[in-house]
Amino acid sequence: MNTYTLIISIAIITYVLRVGCWLGNVRGAGWLERYLRAVPLTILAALIFPAVLVRDGGLRIDLGNVYLLAGLLTAFVAWRSRNAILTITVGMVGIILLKLTI
Amino acid sequence: MNTWKDSFREGIMLTLPLFLGAVPFGLAYGIFARACGMSFGECTFMSATVFAGTAQFAAVNMLYEGTMPLTIILVTLIINTRHVPMALSLKPYLAGLRRPALAIAAFGLVDESYIVAIDQFQRKGEGDFPFFIASAVTMYIAWLGSSVAGYLMGSGISDPLAWGLDFALPCTFICILISRLDSLRTVVIVVISGAVATGFALSSYSGAGLLAAIFSGVIADMLLFRQSGVEEAT
């Protein structure tokens, strides 16, 4: 199979997965909506935990893991301040300073 | 009521940290594709048409290793099946839109635009089409632009994932997540999904981690919190 044919196949499959239920007649049944309300939380967890806990393919729950330290700092500032701009600024300055020092 | 322009601007602003966070991954993808022997055209065409980072990394790696095309297609199918629950949970907020608008918007449904949009829609209690389009376009520019730049610069730039800018993604997601943790239910779901995703990330099936995390979190919600009210904020 030609590489471009393969890329087009992947692109079509990915697009169909994205568009399918929007164009299809999948009715937002009450019970389904009720259970889908957890989806954003699960995706946030899945994007955060591995990104801060797994480095170079290994689990790193220790004080030498700057991503874990910066993640905890970010979570603390987010919890106390409830201010997105402040939180993200502190988190990013934090990771850069941590990388410079550790 | 926001005007179209206000919504569009707000969508861009709230996606900006994720734009910055995606750039090192796009650069890394371009560098990786070049190192794996892909042509500039193939690398760019893939970013322009597939627009799904994890699946693209996996596909390029498998192409390099000479994996059978059917296997490559199946693996990318599994990685991208997570878009189905994402699209389903956004659907109520896009009701009333015409099919051509939905067909265009669906192409921009990626992890980042989904999270920014669903968070905004659930807090406001209503959908906002220009907001979603703005978020999607912002992420598309970040991904396509940085993958082109990564390919062109090749190994001339040192590992972009080591700069710390890659932390902009988890940093922004943590900020959004903390604002949503308001009950035992939300904490339990996050711990279960996070543990499952971490387990997958440590295995050789990391591509399926997001899908597995969605399923485990939603099933935990069904089993443990069946009786909690529908009105409870998520």
Side-chain angles (χ1 to χ4, degrees), chain B residues 62-84:
Chain B
M62 286 185 285
L63 266 171
Y64 178 69
E65 289 175 349
T67 310
M68 270 171 45
L70 189 63
T71 310
I72 301 179
I73 290 172
L74 277 175
V75 170
T76 54
L77 173 77
I78 292 167
I79 294 173
N80 286 333
T81 298
R82 70 175 185 281
H83 292 112
V84 175

Side-chain angles (χ1 to χ4, degrees), chain B residues 150-230:
Chain B
Y151 191 97
L152 293 177
M153 290 188 272
S155 47
I157 40 177
S158 61
D159 182 8
L161 295 179
W163 302 343
L165 194 58
D166 57 328
F167 184 67
L169 292 179
C171 183
T172 311
F173 294 139
I174 288 170
C175 186
I176 297 171
L177 177 69
I178 295 293
S179 72
R180 303 178 70 101
L181 291 179
D182 56 4
S183 61
L184 176 67
R185 171 182 163 266
T186 53
V187 174
V188 169
I189 293 169
V190 164
V191 169
I192 290 174
S193 303
V196 168
T198 305
F200 270 81
L202 293 166
S203 76
S204 40
Y205 305 100
S206 55
L210 251 162
L211 184 61
I214 294 172
F215 269 102
S216 53
V218 170
I219 289 170
D221 188 25
M222 290 165 96
L223 297 177
L224 299 172
F225 303 99
R226 205 178 327 180
Q227 66 280 52
S228 67
V230 182

Side-chain angles (χ1 to χ4, degrees), chain A residues 1 3-4 6-15 17-19 21-28 31-55 57-59 66-68 70-72 74-76 78-79 82-85 87-92 95-96 99, chain B residues 41-42 45-46 49-52 63 69 72-73 76-77 80-81 83-84 86-88 91-92 94 99 102-103 105-107 109-111 114-115 118 161-168 171 173-175 177-180 185-186 189-190 193-194 197-198 201-202 210 213-214 217-218 221-222 225-226 228-230 232 234:
Chain A
M1 190 188 264
T3 305
Y4 279 102
L6 179 72
I7 294 172
I8 291 170
S9 313
I10 296 170
I12 291 173
I13 287 172
T14 305
Y15 180 68
L17 290 168
R18 285 170 171 153
V19 83
C21 76
W22 283 2
L23 296 188
N25 222 357
V26 184
R27 295 290 298 275
W31 67 270
L32 189 62
E33 258 176 56
R34 155 82 176 73
Y35 290 121
L36 285 170
R37 70 201 170 121
V39 171
L41 281 174
T42 63
I43 292 179
L44 283 165
L47 292 172
I48 294 166
F49 281 60
V52 298
L53 294 178
V54 181
R55 307 310 307 169
L59 190 62
V66 292
Y67 285 82
L68 176 58
L72 292 171
T74 306
F76 180 76
W79 173 52
R82 304 274 158 182
N83 179 328
I85 294 172
T87 303
I88 293 167
T89 309
V90 170
M92 292 313 293
I95 188 82
I96 290 164
K99 274 185 176 271
Chain B
E42 290 163 350
F45 184 66
M46 195 178 211
T49 60
V50 178
F51 189 27
L63 266 171
I72 301 179
I73 290 172
T76 54
L77 173 77
N80 286 333
T81 298
H83 292 112
V84 175
M86 284 161 57
L88 272 173
K91 190 174 183 180
L94 300 173
R99 286 175 166 237
L102 288 173
F107 181 71
L109 181 65
V110 293
D111 299 341
Y114 168 75
I115 286 295
I118 194 87
L161 295 179
W163 302 343
L165 194 58
D166 57 328
F167 184 67
C171 183
F173 294 139
I174 288 170
C175 186
L177 177 69
I178 295 293
S179 72
R180 303 178 70 101
R185 171 182 163 266
T186 53
I189 293 169
V190 164
S193 303
T198 305
L202 293 166
L210 251 162
I214 294 172
V218 170
D221 188 25
M222 290 165 96
F225 303 99
R226 205 178 327 180
S228 67
V230 182
E232 186 189 343
T234 310

